[in-house]
Amino acid sequence: MSGNVYRVIEVVGSSTSGTDDAIRNAIARASETVNHLDWFEVTETRGHIEDGQIAHFQVRLKIGFKIEE
């Protein structure tokens, strides 16, 4: 029988530079402890404001990884 089975984790990445960096930070950190990362889905984007300026971008992700056979 072929086909893949995935487990999904949820993480939040942040960055002062933008949402792309926040996504990359979250995936890089997750890859340090989870093997076989395969896909991601952005489920929420938000930010932190200080003195009328964006201080941090925050992105919530679902990350799927293959369960080893």
Side-chain angles (χ1 to χ4, degrees), residues 30 36 68:
H36 310 294
E68 295 180 357

Side-chain angles (χ1 to χ4, degrees), residues 14-18 21 25 54-57:
S14 67
S15 171
T16 57
S17 300
D21 280 345
N25 291 342
I54 297 173
H56 288 92
F57 296 87

Side-chain angles (χ1 to χ4, degrees), residues 6-62:
Y6 297 89
R7 183 171 295 257
V8 177
I9 58 173
E10 191 170 50
V11 298
V12 176
S14 67
S15 171
T16 57
S17 300
T19 56
D20 283 355
D21 280 345
I23 292 167
R24 292 177 195 282
N25 291 342
I27 291 172
R29 180 62 180 93
S31 72
E32 292 176 9
T33 57
V34 179
N35 295 322
H36 310 294
L37 297 182
D38 197 58
W39 56 267
F40 73 94
E41 173 186 357
V42 175
T43 59
E44 182 179 9
T45 303
R46 62 177 184 256
H48 177 73
I49 300 169
E50 289 181 5
D51 299 323
Q53 301 293 319
I54 297 173
H56 288 92
F57 296 87
Q58 300 169 332
V59 180
R60 182 184 307 262
L61 305 170
K62 290 183 179 180

